[in-house]
């Protein structure tokens, strides 16, 4: 069947057209067209996503991105529309939904509403460089149950995935999402939005110098809180907290870490007012912040894997692109790890189409409990949970 999928939950306007077949066990996808429009440049002056502006951009970009995909796909008919209905910025979600509703009415086709986080989980199914003709078999490729670590600008969750459609959140952030913390710390260091890649690039510059690396769980034989790396200049020997590392649950907290960076910069400014012009100090702050944030993620993920005795780990969401996270998580033993390709770690409509098709196939065999999936009844749910 031919599927058109739409993603507008945050600051990316994305549309993909697929050919999908095979059902849940033997699903295979061929991507016929994939277009998106990132709003990063619009939001840079605000240092983050400005919802009203994002909504306006979606209104402007949806018809453009649609036209581009439609021309590229060279098809005459769509059988199903998949659209993100949450979680995300509600006013942005509505733009994708109403666009989908208009197309569904015109083409007389059903809409399947998709949970954005479910999209991030199954984003790992498609591997580059075969993205234009991706074929995969879920049951053969991914052993269930799995733990999914979902890390983005809006979420930080550990999810027990028992199978397609069977999810249980076993831990999550109690305040800021890890991507949000990366973005806020980047702002404190005068780095542009989105800050994650910039922090990571700064940290990487020092990470290659052995004495300054710190942070690696594996190098420390799994022990937490190493002595500060010796032989480093005093002012670059920063130590930030690892919030909730020892808590007896799988929750996270990043607000305190972010505030600790704020206080560190404030104190440093008392000593040198032009601290943000000092590349070495900025790199050292970025390095210690990244070490602290990633240590919390990796440690709790390893604990969850141990407790639930799973053999599979899925890592999804924008922060899954982080090089240090990838390297550290790969050190967890006896586990098969799936990462999205860099193209699919951030928000995209490919993952929405994949999750949409699988949901459609799964629910088709069951009678609808209510008309809530009738195209005109689909509603945006900003705080949607599994
Ligand atoms: O999944 P995503 O594209 O959008 C949301 O659903 O939020 O994630 C965006 C987040 C941003 O906070 C961005 O700074 C972060 O992912 N991010 C990174 C990296 N690349 C993107 N964080 C750390 N390291 C990266 N390399
Ligand atoms: Zn996302």
């Amino acid at each position: 069947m031919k599927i058109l999928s739409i993603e507008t939950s945050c600051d990316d306007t994305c549309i993909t057209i697929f050919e999908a077949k095979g059902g849940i066990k033997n699903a295979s996808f061929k991507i016929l067209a994939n277009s998106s429009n990132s709003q990063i440049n619009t939001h840079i002056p605000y240092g983050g996503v400005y919802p009203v502006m994002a909504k306006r951009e979606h209104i402007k970009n949806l018809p453009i991105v649609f036209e581009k995909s439609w021309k590229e796909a060279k098809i005459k008919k769509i059988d199903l529309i998949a659209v993100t209905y949450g979680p995300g910025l509600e006013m942005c979600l509505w733009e994708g939904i109403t666009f989908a509703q208009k197309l569904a009415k015109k083409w007389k086709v059903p809409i399947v509403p998709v949970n954005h986080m479910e999209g991030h989980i199954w984003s790992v199914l498609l591997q580059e460089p075969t993205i234009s003709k991706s074929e995969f078999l879920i049951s053969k490729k991914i052993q269930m149950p799995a733990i999914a670590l979902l890390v983005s600008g809006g979420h930080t969750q550990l999810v027990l995935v028992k199978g397609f459609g069977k999810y249980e959140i076993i831990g999550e952030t109690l305040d800021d999402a890890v991507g949000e913390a990366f973005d806020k710390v980047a702002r404190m260091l005068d780095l542009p939005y989105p800050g994650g890649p910039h922090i990571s690039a700064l940290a990487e510059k020092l990470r290659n110098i052995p004495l300054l690396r710190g942070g690696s769980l594996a190098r420390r034989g799994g022990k937490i809180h190493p002595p500060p790396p010796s032989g480093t200049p005093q002012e670059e020997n920063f130590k930030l907290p690892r919030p909730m590392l020892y808590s007896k649950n799988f929750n996270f907290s990043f607000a305190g870490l972010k505030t600790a960076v704020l206080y560190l910069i404030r104190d440093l400014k008392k000593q040198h007012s032009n601290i943000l012009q000092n590349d070495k100090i900025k790199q050292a702050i970025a390095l210690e912040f990244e070490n602290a944030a990633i240590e919390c993620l990796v440690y709790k993920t390893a604990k969850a894997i141990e407790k639930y005795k799973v053999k599979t780990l899925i890592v999804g969401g924008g922060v899954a692109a982080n090089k240090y996270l990838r390297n550290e998580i790969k050190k967890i033993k006896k586990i098969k790890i799936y990462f999205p390709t860099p193209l699919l770690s951030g928000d995209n409509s490919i993952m929405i189409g994949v999750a949409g098709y699988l949901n459609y196939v799964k629910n088709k065999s069951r009678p609808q409990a209510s008309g809530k999936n009738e195209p005109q009844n689909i509603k945006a749910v900003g705080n949607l949970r599994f």
Side-chain angles (χ1 to χ4, degrees), residues 7 9-10 87 116-117 120 151-155 317-318 345-348 351:
E7 156 64 37
S9 69
C10 191
H116 180 86
M117 301 314 286
H120 274 306
V151 277
S152 71
H155 290 83
S345 64
D347 289 348
N348 65 85
M351 66 185 195

PDB file of all heavy atoms in Angstrom, residues 7 9-10 87 116-117 120 151-155 317-318 345-348 351, ligand 2:
ATOM      1  N   GLU A   7       5.017  14.782   9.710  1.00  0.00           N
ATOM      2  CA  GLU A   7       5.550  15.063  11.043  1.00  0.00           C
ATOM      3  C   GLU A   7       5.695  16.574  11.213  1.00  0.00           C
ATOM      4  O   GLU A   7       6.396  17.225  10.432  1.00  0.00           O
ATOM      5  CB  GLU A   7       6.910  14.353  11.207  1.00  0.00           C
ATOM      6  CG  GLU A   7       7.857  14.929  12.232  1.00  0.00           C
ATOM      7  CD  GLU A   7       7.383  14.862  13.675  1.00  0.00           C
ATOM      8  OE1 GLU A   7       6.740  13.874  14.061  1.00  0.00           O
ATOM      9  OE2 GLU A   7       7.665  15.821  14.412  1.00  0.00           O
ATOM     10  N   SER A   9       5.660  17.856  14.836  1.00  0.00           N
ATOM     11  CA  SER A   9       5.495  17.996  16.294  1.00  0.00           C
ATOM     12  C   SER A   9       6.342  19.108  16.907  1.00  0.00           C
ATOM     13  O   SER A   9       6.053  19.580  17.987  1.00  0.00           O
ATOM     14  CB  SER A   9       5.807  16.676  16.984  1.00  0.00           C
ATOM     15  OG  SER A   9       7.180  16.394  16.876  1.00  0.00           O
ATOM     16  N   CYS A  10       7.418  19.511  16.206  1.00  0.00           N
ATOM     17  CA  CYS A  10       8.281  20.549  16.788  1.00  0.00           C
ATOM     18  C   CYS A  10       8.677  21.559  15.702  1.00  0.00           C
ATOM     19  O   CYS A  10       7.825  22.283  15.215  1.00  0.00           O
ATOM     20  CB  CYS A  10       9.486  19.889  17.453  1.00  0.00           C
ATOM     21  SG  CYS A  10      10.440  21.024  18.463  1.00  0.00           S
ATOM     22  N   PRO A  87       3.541  13.136  21.342  1.00  0.00           N
ATOM     23  CA  PRO A  87       3.598  14.391  22.076  1.00  0.00           C
ATOM     24  C   PRO A  87       4.347  15.448  21.253  1.00  0.00           C
ATOM     25  O   PRO A  87       5.017  15.114  20.285  1.00  0.00           O
ATOM     26  CB  PRO A  87       4.390  14.000  23.330  1.00  0.00           C
ATOM     27  CG  PRO A  87       5.258  12.864  22.896  1.00  0.00           C
ATOM     28  CD  PRO A  87       4.498  12.136  21.837  1.00  0.00           C
ATOM     29  N   HIS A 116       4.649  10.090  18.372  1.00  0.00           N
ATOM     30  CA  HIS A 116       5.998  10.485  17.937  1.00  0.00           C
ATOM     31  C   HIS A 116       7.081   9.607  18.600  1.00  0.00           C
ATOM     32  O   HIS A 116       8.072   9.228  17.952  1.00  0.00           O
ATOM     33  CB  HIS A 116       6.185  11.953  18.335  1.00  0.00           C
ATOM     34  CG  HIS A 116       7.490  12.560  17.985  1.00  0.00           C
ATOM     35  ND1 HIS A 116       7.754  13.118  16.767  1.00  0.00           N
ATOM     36  CD2 HIS A 116       8.625  12.710  18.712  1.00  0.00           C
ATOM     37  CE1 HIS A 116       8.992  13.591  16.755  1.00  0.00           C
ATOM     38  NE2 HIS A 116       9.547  13.347  17.929  1.00  0.00           N
ATOM     39  N   MET A 117       6.891   9.254  19.880  1.00  0.00           N
ATOM     40  CA  MET A 117       7.906   8.475  20.596  1.00  0.00           C
ATOM     41  C   MET A 117       7.959   7.038  20.062  1.00  0.00           C
ATOM     42  O   MET A 117       9.014   6.411  20.034  1.00  0.00           O
ATOM     43  CB  MET A 117       7.635   8.476  22.109  1.00  0.00           C
ATOM     44  CG  MET A 117       7.614   9.851  22.743  1.00  0.00           C
ATOM     45  SD  MET A 117       8.968  10.936  22.245  1.00  0.00           S
ATOM     46  CE  MET A 117      10.336  10.236  23.136  1.00  0.00           C
ATOM     47  N   HIS A 120      10.168   7.229  17.194  1.00  0.00           N
ATOM     48  CA  HIS A 120      11.594   7.212  17.546  1.00  0.00           C
ATOM     49  C   HIS A 120      12.061   5.779  17.844  1.00  0.00           C
ATOM     50  O   HIS A 120      13.184   5.406  17.498  1.00  0.00           O
ATOM     51  CB  HIS A 120      11.875   8.119  18.749  1.00  0.00           C
ATOM     52  CG  HIS A 120      12.114   9.555  18.385  1.00  0.00           C
ATOM     53  ND1 HIS A 120      13.061   9.934  17.462  1.00  0.00           N
ATOM     54  CD2 HIS A 120      11.550  10.715  18.826  1.00  0.00           C
ATOM     55  CE1 HIS A 120      13.064  11.265  17.348  1.00  0.00           C
ATOM     56  NE2 HIS A 120      12.146  11.760  18.154  1.00  0.00           N
ATOM     57  N   VAL A 151      15.911   9.734  23.848  1.00  0.00           N
ATOM     58  CA  VAL A 151      16.568  10.966  24.312  1.00  0.00           C
ATOM     59  C   VAL A 151      16.427  12.069  23.260  1.00  0.00           C
ATOM     60  O   VAL A 151      16.979  11.965  22.169  1.00  0.00           O
ATOM     61  CB  VAL A 151      18.065  10.698  24.623  1.00  0.00           C
ATOM     62  CG1 VAL A 151      18.227  10.114  26.003  1.00  0.00           C
ATOM     63  CG2 VAL A 151      18.734   9.773  23.599  1.00  0.00           C
ATOM     64  N   SER A 152      15.639  13.095  23.606  1.00  0.00           N
ATOM     65  CA  SER A 152      15.436  14.164  22.621  1.00  0.00           C
ATOM     66  C   SER A 152      15.364  15.504  23.327  1.00  0.00           C
ATOM     67  O   SER A 152      15.674  15.606  24.519  1.00  0.00           O
ATOM     68  CB  SER A 152      14.155  13.886  21.835  1.00  0.00           C
ATOM     69  OG  SER A 152      13.042  14.104  22.672  1.00  0.00           O
ATOM     70  N   GLY A 153      14.900  16.523  22.601  1.00  0.00           N
ATOM     71  CA  GLY A 153      14.781  17.841  23.200  1.00  0.00           C
ATOM     72  C   GLY A 153      13.601  17.933  24.164  1.00  0.00           C
ATOM     73  O   GLY A 153      13.565  18.802  25.027  1.00  0.00           O
ATOM     74  N   GLY A 154      12.645  17.035  24.015  1.00  0.00           N
ATOM     75  CA  GLY A 154      11.457  17.080  24.869  1.00  0.00           C
ATOM     76  C   GLY A 154      11.336  15.888  25.806  1.00  0.00           C
ATOM     77  O   GLY A 154      10.511  15.912  26.724  1.00  0.00           O
ATOM     78  N   HIS A 155      12.109  14.826  25.581  1.00  0.00           N
ATOM     79  CA  HIS A 155      11.936  13.597  26.350  1.00  0.00           C
ATOM     80  C   HIS A 155      13.238  12.940  26.744  1.00  0.00           C
ATOM     81  O   HIS A 155      14.234  13.041  26.031  1.00  0.00           O
ATOM     82  CB  HIS A 155      11.127  12.574  25.532  1.00  0.00           C
ATOM     83  CG  HIS A 155       9.705  12.971  25.371  1.00  0.00           C
ATOM     84  ND1 HIS A 155       9.316  13.843  24.393  1.00  0.00           N
ATOM     85  CD2 HIS A 155       8.604  12.653  26.083  1.00  0.00           C
ATOM     86  CE1 HIS A 155       8.014  14.045  24.509  1.00  0.00           C
ATOM     87  NE2 HIS A 155       7.557  13.344  25.516  1.00  0.00           N
ATOM     88  N   GLY A 317      15.933   9.176  19.182  1.00  0.00           N
ATOM     89  CA  GLY A 317      15.777  10.600  19.500  1.00  0.00           C
ATOM     90  C   GLY A 317      17.008  11.385  19.096  1.00  0.00           C
ATOM     91  O   GLY A 317      18.080  10.810  18.863  1.00  0.00           O
ATOM     92  N   GLY A 318      16.875  12.707  19.036  1.00  0.00           N
ATOM     93  CA  GLY A 318      17.944  13.577  18.552  1.00  0.00           C
ATOM     94  C   GLY A 318      19.280  13.364  19.243  1.00  0.00           C
ATOM     95  O   GLY A 318      20.330  13.385  18.598  1.00  0.00           O
ATOM     96  N   SER A 345      17.873  10.043  13.462  1.00  0.00           N
ATOM     97  CA  SER A 345      17.876  10.225  14.919  1.00  0.00           C
ATOM     98  C   SER A 345      17.091  11.479  15.296  1.00  0.00           C
ATOM     99  O   SER A 345      16.390  11.505  16.294  1.00  0.00           O
ATOM    100  CB  SER A 345      19.301  10.255  15.483  1.00  0.00           C
ATOM    101  OG  SER A 345      19.989  11.363  14.989  1.00  0.00           O
ATOM    102  N   GLY A 346      17.138  12.502  14.486  1.00  0.00           N
ATOM    103  CA  GLY A 346      16.321  13.694  14.723  1.00  0.00           C
ATOM    104  C   GLY A 346      14.897  13.446  14.230  1.00  0.00           C
ATOM    105  O   GLY A 346      14.567  12.347  13.748  1.00  0.00           O
ATOM    106  N   ASP A 347      14.054  14.452  14.352  1.00  0.00           N
ATOM    107  CA  ASP A 347      12.652  14.277  13.947  1.00  0.00           C
ATOM    108  C   ASP A 347      12.546  14.109  12.429  1.00  0.00           C
ATOM    109  O   ASP A 347      13.214  14.806  11.671  1.00  0.00           O
ATOM    110  CB  ASP A 347      11.839  15.491  14.407  1.00  0.00           C
ATOM    111  CG  ASP A 347      11.687  15.481  15.913  1.00  0.00           C
ATOM    112  OD1 ASP A 347      11.994  14.443  16.533  1.00  0.00           O
ATOM    113  OD2 ASP A 347      11.253  16.503  16.466  1.00  0.00           O
ATOM    114  N   ASN A 348      11.706  13.184  12.021  1.00  0.00           N
ATOM    115  CA  ASN A 348      11.526  12.903  10.594  1.00  0.00           C
ATOM    116  C   ASN A 348      10.198  12.205  10.379  1.00  0.00           C
ATOM    117  O   ASN A 348       9.615  11.663  11.320  1.00  0.00           O
ATOM    118  CB  ASN A 348      12.691  12.024  10.090  1.00  0.00           C
ATOM    119  CG  ASN A 348      12.678  10.658  10.740  1.00  0.00           C
ATOM    120  OD1 ASN A 348      11.992   9.751  10.291  1.00  0.00           O
ATOM    121  ND2 ASN A 348      13.396  10.494  11.852  1.00  0.00           N
ATOM    122  N   MET A 351      10.096   7.737  10.181  1.00  0.00           N
ATOM    123  CA  MET A 351       9.746   6.924  11.352  1.00  0.00           C
ATOM    124  C   MET A 351       8.236   6.972  11.628  1.00  0.00           C
ATOM    125  O   MET A 351       7.663   6.011  12.135  1.00  0.00           O
ATOM    126  CB  MET A 351      10.544   7.376  12.583  1.00  0.00           C
ATOM    127  CG  MET A 351      10.205   8.767  13.071  1.00  0.00           C
ATOM    128  SD  MET A 351      11.285   9.268  14.439  1.00  0.00           S
ATOM    129  CE  MET A 351      10.380  10.689  15.076  1.00  0.00           C
TER     130      MET A 351
HETATM  131 ZN1  LIG B   2      11.599  13.743  18.476  1.00  0.00          ZN
END
